[in-house]
Amino acid sequence: MRVFITAGEASGDKLGAALMQGLRQLVPDVEFRGIGGTLMEQEGLESLFPMDEISVMGVSEILKEYRHLKARIRETADAVIADKPDVLITIDLPEFSLRVNKLVKEVSDVRVVHYVAPTVWAWRPKRAGKMAHHVDQVLALLPFEPPYMQAAGMDCDFVGHPVVTDQIATQAEADAFRVKHAIKGPMALVLPGSRRSEIGRLMPIFAQTAALLHDKRPDLRLVLPAAGNVVDAVQEAVRDWPGAPLVIDPRQDDGSDKRAAFRAADVALAASGTVSLELAAAGTPMVIAYDMSWLSRQIIGRMMLVDTVTLVNLVSETRAVPEFIGKDCLPGPIADAVLHELDAPGTQQEAMRLTMERLGLGGEHPGLRAARAVLNGLGQGATRH
């Protein structure tokens, strides 16, 4: 069996690696080609080009990188067409993935699976209908997504969210982390995202927030577990922050410090995205803040269909997690919310517990569930269980 698989950012790389493991478990002679990061490369993928070349987000960001992105889209589609795989699996990153799928489907009947449903429940619902012309099957991470995809004419399987398989640090490991870094008082995580564009846009806001927090709670220690591709930018950005913030460098950490930090923290300030689910898994209350370019803000703001973008709020069907998005992403209100969560622990615990339950905690590994869904779609599932 030959699989062409693509991912363009850290979360997609994680999904891709787990799916590759699942497919290899069910079909030992499977072969992979495509685009991915370190985790997928560890599973035997030789990436066509560096994954971060196609990781862009937001209208103005896409326009800025459009020529380069278009060339990579064409290159990837040509590689798929030449390779003639049994299935093309594109992971998230719809700006890239769906354009590749369209080009491939124009000249080929290869089965196309898209992993991670687009957020049609949040904005631009017509995307599902357009997507159905060149996607056969969708693998959904969230339990409420399949009906939206099925209504548009695509197969769709809820396969669980990978966050439910994440290793969580023990309390002893959390305590050891505090001792190691001489953190005796309250501790807050700051998580500005894994994209360069996010770092550039959010870190100035988070810097002002950090100054306000230090003024009101000088004993509060800030800890920033940075993504590998932006760690240098994060270290440079916090150089003048008060209170000696600690940056966890993944180049010097096997993951244990980051896990321990998530468990040890009293509260977190995080960019919008899947990190809210990682925090929920660790039981760490959070405040979500996110901003984008003026153009993206105007366009997306007018199209939003929901009153929250935080996944914990959506999955738990609560509004337990405070969020500050777009024009509301201001240092003063963000700092006040962080301090409120710090002083009132426990208000988010039930929402976080319910979220993890609904995402599949305790069930079959999402990567294996996704692999079964792919094989079932190919008509091979009955012989692979």
Side-chain angles (χ1 to χ4, degrees):
M1 179 180 176
R2 300 171 69 188
V3 176
F4 200 104
I5 184 169
T6 72
E9 53 192 349
S11 59
D13 188 39
K14 181 178 178 180
L15 288 172
L19 174 54
M20 291 168 71
Q21 290 175 357
L23 285 169
R24 187 173 289 109
Q25 182 176 337
L26 299 173
V27 187
D29 62 346
V30 65
E31 298 177 3
F32 298 105
R33 261 197 97 194
I35 303 159
T38 303
L39 296 178
M40 291 170 68
E41 289 173 343
Q42 288 172 355
E43 294 300 318
L45 181 74
E46 184 175 340
S47 190
L48 286 179
F49 48 79
M51 167 180 91
D52 61 2
E53 288 191 21
I54 56 174
S55 179
V56 292
M57 185 176 182
V59 177
S60 62
E61 290 82 2
I62 293 171
L63 291 174
K64 182 179 177 181
E65 301 290 341
Y66 179 71
R67 182 173 296 180
H68 179 74
L69 185 62
K70 185 177 180 180
R72 287 307 197 189
I73 289 169
R74 182 76 260 179
E75 178 183 352
T76 304
D78 287 345
V80 176
I81 294 163
D83 199 52
K84 298 179 181 179
D86 295 289
V87 61
L88 164 62
I89 303 172
T90 55
I91 303 174
D92 208 1
L93 210 69
E95 302 88 351
F96 174 85
S97 299
L98 300 184
R99 286 171 171 81
V100 169
N101 296 341
K102 183 176 185 294
L103 291 173
V104 170
K105 277 294 193 182
E106 286 175 351
V107 296
S108 169
D109 62 355
V110 64
R111 184 169 178 82
V112 172
V113 177
H114 187 64
Y115 197 172
V116 183
T119 53
V120 297
W121 40 267
W123 70 301
R124 291 175 59 197
K126 293 182 180 179
R127 284 179 296 168
K130 295 179 180 178
M131 180 176 166
H133 293 298
H134 42 269
V135 171
D136 301 295
Q137 179 183 15
V138 178
L139 307 179
L141 303 186
L142 305 175
F144 54 79
E145 292 177 320
Y148 292 93
M149 301 295 104
Q150 293 162 350
M154 293 170 282
D155 296 334
C156 187
D157 301 88
F158 167 60
V159 297
H161 198 287
V163 72
V164 301
T165 67
D166 285 352
Q167 183 179 347
I168 305 300
T170 65
Q171 187 59 52
E173 290 169 330
D175 294 341
F177 175 87
R178 281 178 167 271
V179 171
K180 174 182 176 181
H181 297 288
I183 301 173
K184 298 179 180 179
M187 169 183 157
L189 295 180
V190 178
L191 300 150
S194 60
R195 298 183 179 94
R196 293 187 182 93
S197 59
E198 290 173 330
I199 300 301
R201 198 168 302 281
L202 291 179
M203 285 301 272
I205 298 169
F206 285 5
Q208 295 177 59
T209 304
L212 293 172
L213 290 172
H214 183 72
D215 287 344
K216 296 180 180 180
R217 292 294 297 270
D219 60 335
L220 178 63
R221 187 75 181 279
L222 302 182
V223 177
L224 296 90
N229 59 316
V230 296
V231 63
D232 291 333
V234 171
Q235 288 174 331
E236 178 63 28
V238 304
R239 193 180 303 277
D240 297 324
W241 285 21
L246 169 66
V247 176
I248 298 177
D249 187 339
R251 297 169 298 192
Q252 301 171 11
D253 175 36
D254 61 2
S256 57
D257 256 11
K258 178 183 175 180
R259 288 192 298 270
F262 270 58
R263 180 65 184 271
D266 298 292
V267 67
L269 167 59
S272 176
T274 55
V275 70
S276 70
L277 301 181
E278 296 178 48
L279 292 165
T284 301
M286 68 199 82
V287 172
I288 299 299
Y290 199 81
D291 199 7
M292 57 207 80
S293 71
W294 181 89
L295 179 59
S296 296
R297 187 194 294 177
Q298 298 305 309
I299 293 174
I300 294 173
R302 286 173 170 79
M303 294 182 176
M304 288 297 294
L305 303 176
V306 291
D307 64 349
T308 179
V309 298
T310 300
L311 291 174
V312 172
N313 288 342
L314 289 162
V315 176
S316 67
E317 297 178 282
T318 72
R319 298 298 181 264
V321 177
E323 64 180 27
F324 301 87
I325 308 299
K327 64 180 176 58
D328 298 320
C329 188
L330 301 170
I334 294 170
D336 289 343
V338 171
L339 293 173
H340 175 77
E341 295 301 325
L342 186 63
D343 294 335
T347 58
Q348 298 181 24
Q349 291 303 316
E350 177 57 20
M352 292 191 289
R353 184 203 64 77
L354 185 58
T355 295
M356 301 312 295
E357 176 185 298
R358 290 180 174 177
L359 292 179
L361 183 64
E364 187 175 56
H365 194 290
L368 187 57
R369 289 178 66 176
R372 291 193 195 283
V374 170
L375 294 176
N376 285 336
L378 288 168
Q380 301 180 31
T383 61
R384 302 293 181 176
H385 286 258

